[in-house]
Amino acid sequence: MAEPVLQAVPPGGPDNIAKAEKLARKKRLALLTLLLACACFIGLTIYDPNHHNPWVGLFVAMSEAAMVGGLADWFAIVALFRHPLGLKIPHTAIIPRSKDKIARNLADFICDHFLGKDHVLDKIREFDPANRLAKQCASPETSAKIADLVVKFAPRLMYLLDSAELQEFVRATTREKLRDMDVGRLSARFLTILTQDGRHHEMVDSLLNDIADFTNSDETRNMLADKIAGELWSVLRWVNLDKAVADNITEKVAAGLRELIQDLADNKDHELRLKFENKIPLFIDRLNTDPALRARLDQFRDRMLENQELSDYIGHIWRKALDWIKQDFANPQSEIRRAIMGASRNIGSKLDEDPDMKDWLNRWIMETVDPYIDEYREKIRSFLMERVKAWSADELTAQLELAMGSDLQSIRLNGTLVGALIGGVLFGVMQFIGWVVVAGQATAQ
């Protein structure tokens, strides 16, 4: 009752071919074992039809049970994949008939038992990604591997970035997008965000304090003195008083300017500051509504985009940067490589020493993954069902038989051998019962 070896191996490469060969060997072994049991039964029955020899009786019983076990298992296994001997017996060819049901059950089993939200989140929690990330980044071996990976792929990336085709594409695309940009509305939106809820006050205070410090420096006073001296009337220059007067004026100007700026920084209700802040909403409104202002901004944008010197300058800086990066990567003592290794170890060490940050990172990962689990689980479920349903019945049968057919043929072999063992045991039991009955009858007589 040999099952025909698969005539067409489903696609899958050498692995499927090896599985098909293993399946064929197992089928041949199971068949030979069954044929051996049949030969023993037939031969011994011909040799001793009445089984007078107890050993003949034992082996006949074993071979008979082996045939029953082997044939039963053969029928059950074949019935999974096709109709035994081509006979359309009920409840056979189970897999081809139940293809869609198998697809649905397989998808449900995988998604419900392996991709359930609790299972996935528990696995992420058990994995502890933040701690693993910290340990790996802090490891010298890992940081070296990261740096080596960057250095390995950098030349190809440099070649791509240095190509004239890519640069021209980026330049043309950027110009096109920037030319379509509404500078006025974008500036208005930026200023609105900047001034919302008084966020700009801190920046203005910092800027005014920096200007005050700048006017208080010796370099600034000397510069102002030189400018004022150069503008003083010639009479003072003739009597050599221009420098002295300039120094005196400079000191007064710098002190007054510094006092004014410091007052603006310290007093948010200062008249000049209030005037400036009151102008901001009006300027934002002009950016949105004044055609003349918007046109000037667009003209400025277009002049910048059409400025060939600016474009050449940016291109020069870009090429110099790429040349330096190439030279550095070619150097065994690459600064970039050392920087990557140092950054990796530093990030890993800092993260490893900060349990609160690790807890936050783990929570962030869990909260980020959580809403997508259900969505992608259903997509995976649909994909599995559609993929299995797309197979023909023959293809599905072939794939499953290749995957588990070898083990099923081992069941056939075991069924034959276990049947023989059970047949021998039953024969022994029957002989023992017969002996007991005969002994009992002899004792009664």
Side-chain angles (χ1 to χ4, degrees):
M1 296 298 178
E3 220 14 69
V5 179
L6 289 173
Q7 298 300 316
V9 179
D15 186 52
N16 269 5
I17 295 175
K19 288 180 180 179
E21 292 175 349
K22 182 179 180 181
L23 175 59
R25 288 196 301 270
K26 286 292 186 71
K27 284 184 175 183
R28 286 194 295 269
L29 180 59
L31 175 62
L32 289 174
T33 305
L34 182 58
L35 292 177
L36 178 62
C38 293
C40 287
F41 178 78
I42 295 171
L44 291 174
T45 300
I46 294 173
Y47 173 74
D48 185 1
N50 297 318
H51 307 157
H52 294 301
N53 188 323
W55 289 104
V56 171
L58 172 63
F59 284 109
V60 167
M62 291 178 65
S63 59
E64 184 179 14
M67 288 190 298
V68 173
L71 287 171
D73 286 342
W74 167 81
F75 182 89
I77 291 170
V78 173
L80 285 173
F81 301 105
R82 57 187 60 84
H83 298 293
L85 301 177
L87 302 175
K88 294 187 177 181
I89 304 171
H91 307 297
T92 59
I94 295 172
I95 290 176
R97 287 191 302 104
S98 307
K99 184 169 69 75
D100 291 348
K101 184 178 179 181
I102 290 173
R104 183 172 59 255
N105 290 339
L106 177 63
D108 290 343
F109 177 78
I110 292 175
C111 292
D112 294 341
H113 294 281
F114 293 94
L115 299 178
K117 179 178 289 189
D118 293 338
H119 296 98
V120 175
L121 294 179
D122 287 344
K123 196 63 181 179
I124 294 175
R125 194 177 295 110
E126 178 186 342
F127 185 75
D128 193 1
N131 186 59
R132 287 178 181 263
L133 176 64
K135 299 294 185 186
Q136 289 296 318
C137 287
S139 167
E141 294 80 5
T142 302
S143 61
K145 288 179 180 178
I146 295 173
D148 290 341
L149 186 65
V150 173
V151 172
K152 178 180 179 181
F153 289 101
R156 296 302 303 169
L157 179 60
M158 292 298 102
Y159 174 79
L160 176 66
L161 295 177
D162 198 25
S163 65
E165 296 82 0
L166 177 64
Q167 292 180 18
E168 181 58 32
F169 173 77
V170 172
R171 187 181 296 113
T173 304
T174 304
R175 282 179 175 175
E176 180 182 347
K177 293 299 181 183
L178 290 178
R179 203 176 296 277
D180 293 338
M181 182 177 65
D182 190 334
V183 182
R185 292 192 185 280
L186 185 63
S187 302
R189 189 177 299 115
F190 173 75
L191 287 175
T192 301
I193 295 173
L194 186 66
T195 58
Q196 194 172 19
D197 299 328
R199 296 172 185 165
H200 63 294
H201 288 304
E202 185 176 347
M203 183 184 69
V204 172
D205 292 342
S206 177
L207 178 62
L208 290 172
N209 286 323
D210 290 341
I211 295 174
D213 293 338
F214 175 74
T215 58
N216 194 36
S217 67
D218 293 336
E219 292 82 358
T220 304
R221 287 201 299 271
N222 291 334
M223 180 183 67
L224 289 174
D226 290 340
K227 290 293 183 181
I228 293 174
E231 299 297 331
L232 284 177
W233 50 90
S234 58
V235 175
L236 292 178
R237 188 178 295 112
W238 288 343
V239 295
N240 201 26
L241 292 176
D242 55 334
K243 182 63 176 175
V245 173
D247 289 341
N248 186 37
I249 294 175
T250 299
E251 184 62 33
K252 292 182 179 299
V253 169
L257 183 61
R258 183 171 61 254
E259 182 179 352
L260 173 62
I261 293 173
Q262 195 64 52
D263 192 20
L264 287 171
D266 295 338
N267 184 9
K268 290 183 173 57
D269 296 326
H270 193 283
E271 181 180 359
L272 290 179
R273 183 160 177 169
L274 290 176
K275 285 184 178 180
F276 170 74
E277 292 187 358
N278 289 335
K279 292 289 185 181
I280 294 177
L282 297 176
F283 184 63
I284 293 175
D285 183 64
R286 286 190 62 201
L287 287 171
N288 282 316
T289 60
D290 188 341
L293 177 60
R294 290 164 61 84
R296 287 199 298 273
L297 289 173
D298 289 341
Q299 290 172 2
F300 174 76
R301 176 201 63 199
D302 294 340
R303 284 199 302 271
M304 294 297 293
L305 292 175
E306 294 168 1
N307 191 315
Q308 187 60 40
E309 293 181 358
L310 177 62
S311 178
D312 294 341
Y313 179 68
I314 294 174
H316 174 72
I317 294 176
W318 178 255
R319 286 189 295 273
K320 293 286 287 185
L322 288 180
D323 290 341
W324 179 85
I325 294 173
K326 290 178 182 177
Q327 294 173 3
D328 183 78
F329 279 135
N331 187 350
Q333 304 298 324
S334 169
E335 294 182 21
I336 296 177
R337 187 179 186 279
R338 287 202 304 270
I340 294 172
M341 293 176 62
S344 174
R345 290 196 295 268
N346 184 56
I347 292 173
S349 300
K350 294 293 185 184
L351 183 59
D352 196 34
E353 296 168 0
D354 192 340
D356 292 337
M357 186 62 187
K358 288 195 289 187
D359 290 342
W360 176 86
L361 182 57
N362 280 332
R363 287 197 305 273
W364 177 83
I365 293 173
M366 301 278 283
E367 291 169 359
T368 302
V369 171
D370 190 322
Y372 294 101
I373 294 176
D374 289 336
E375 175 185 351
Y376 284 97
R377 183 178 63 242
E378 296 310 312
K379 290 183 179 179
I380 292 172
R381 189 195 306 274
S382 298
F383 170 78
L384 290 172
M385 292 175 62
E386 291 171 3
R387 182 67 187 94
V388 176
K389 288 180 178 180
W391 286 341
S392 67
D394 292 339
E395 185 181 5
L396 176 62
T397 301
Q399 291 283 7
L400 291 177
E401 190 167 13
L402 281 178
M404 58 185 182
S406 180
D407 292 330
L408 293 177
Q409 296 305 314
S410 295
I411 292 176
R412 281 183 59 188
L413 178 61
N414 291 337
T416 304
L417 298 177
V418 171
L421 179 61
I422 293 174
V425 171
L426 290 176
F427 179 82
V429 171
M430 294 300 296
Q431 291 296 316
F432 177 74
I433 293 174
W435 178 78
V436 170
V437 170
V438 171
Q441 291 175 349
T443 302
Q445 292 176 359

